[in-house]
Amino acid sequence: MTTTLTDEQQLLLDSVKEFVWSEVAPHVAQRDRDSQCERSDFAPAFELGLHLLELPEEYGGAGIDYRTGAMLFEDLGKVDAGYAITLVSTFVAFRNVLIAGTPEQARLFADTIADGGLGCFAISEPGAGSDAAAIRTTAVRDGDDYVLNGQKCWITNGGIADIYLISAKTDPSAGAHGISTFLVEADREGLSHGRHEDKMGLRTSNTWTSRSTTSGCPRITSWAPRARASASPYPGSTSHGPSWRRSRWG
């Protein structure tokens, strides 16, 4: 099958190819040996605007379509898949807020990314990987806020993210239908990081264990439509269906 690119797509693809061979390729072998993924490694990507590719234009991004984004990150991933995943994982997290959150929540996340930040989606736990419904992190109502308590692991961007989506059970008795997702800033008191995983592959991707005893977290969405929020720290915030069915789990 022949793919015909538009002039704009070809220009973007040429820019990414030039970037990846000049800014990423010379360092990938050393980063892989050292299992290195530092925030400073992505400064050139931010300068080029790669962190804005999939943000909608109304949120300050480039608003490119999924096909164009896939082509660009495919070329980046050919040289350093970990580098590409770091950026893509930020968009995966944002997409969930865009689908299921409020405009205010999407704006908070988008502004964080536009300012040169990274995001992550934290659902996996030591006893809940593929079986996401088995998570044990809890979210307990405290007035108008929620207090999150639990541990997450294998979280892409977990040690370098500026904003997190953390899944927790608001109603453990409801099983999968009692899971909600919360928007948590990295500097929120109670959020701490454990060890960086020394992986066999994708060693230039940041993968961490995180622990949270965090309060004041706005609720984004619930696993099932019937588990709707009765209130939220953000006016107009409601629970929606399982938005992450459209995205990869963290």
Side-chain angles (χ1 to χ4, degrees):
M1 177 178 175
T2 302
T3 300
T4 302
L5 303 180
T6 66
D7 291 342
E8 182 182 9
Q9 286 175 325
Q10 188 63 62
L11 180 62
L12 286 170
L13 197 58
D14 290 343
S15 296
V16 168
K17 286 181 177 179
E18 181 180 356
F19 164 80
V20 72
W21 287 108
S22 64
E23 299 291 345
V24 180
H27 311 289
V28 65
Q30 187 64 50
R31 289 174 182 165
D32 184 79
R33 284 192 293 269
D34 296 342
S35 188
Q36 175 186 328
C37 182
E38 304 291 343
R39 284 293 302 271
S40 58
D41 298 337
F42 295 90
F46 294 153
E47 290 178 11
L48 187 62
L50 296 184
H51 62 309
L52 302 175
L53 288 178
E54 291 191 21
L55 291 185
E57 292 182 3
E58 60 266 33
Y59 289 102
I64 65 169
D65 60 90
Y66 289 155
R67 181 185 180 190
T68 302
M71 289 190 297
L72 298 178
F73 286 113
E74 179 184 37
D75 260 51
L76 181 54
K78 287 176 183 177
V79 174
D80 188 349
Y83 201 99
I85 284 173
T86 300
L87 297 169
V88 170
S89 293
T90 294
F91 297 133
V92 169
F94 173 74
R95 202 171 299 139
N96 282 271
V97 183
L98 187 64
I99 292 170
T102 68
E104 294 83 4
Q105 291 166 337
R107 173 61 64 185
L108 172 62
F109 198 108
D111 286 349
T112 301
I113 303 311
D115 288 341
L118 295 169
C120 79
F121 191 13
I123 187 168
S124 299
E125 298 182 0
S130 299
D131 182 12
I135 64 171
R136 301 179 67 179
T137 296
T138 60
V140 177
R141 200 68 176 263
D142 182 18
D144 290 334
D145 295 332
Y146 286 89
V147 177
L148 274 60
N149 194 345
Q151 182 180 10
K152 299 296 182 180
C153 62
W154 313 307
I155 305 305
T156 304
N157 295 354
I160 58 176
D162 298 273
I163 193 162
Y164 294 71
L165 293 188
I166 300 179
S167 295
K169 286 190 173 178
T170 46
D171 182 4
S173 66
H177 295 286
I179 296 176
S180 297
T181 300
F182 296 83
L183 189 64
V184 182
E185 299 94 330
D187 59 359
R188 178 81 65 174
E189 184 177 357
L191 183 64
S192 62
H193 302 135
R195 62 186 176 89
H196 173 59
E197 298 291 345
D198 187 16
K199 307 184 297 294
M200 290 180 62
L202 295 177
R203 291 171 56 80
T204 57
S205 166
N206 180 275
T207 309
W208 279 69
T209 297
S210 297
R211 186 178 299 276
S212 177
T213 304
T214 311
S215 62
C217 303
R219 177 168 163 173
I220 299 295
T221 182
S222 290
W223 184 282
R226 72 167 181 255
R228 300 188 66 85
S230 57
S232 170
Y234 283 78
S237 176
T238 60
S239 299
H240 295 261
S243 63
W244 47 76
R245 286 180 184 167
R246 309 185 194 185
S247 302
R248 176 185 177 276
W249 290 346

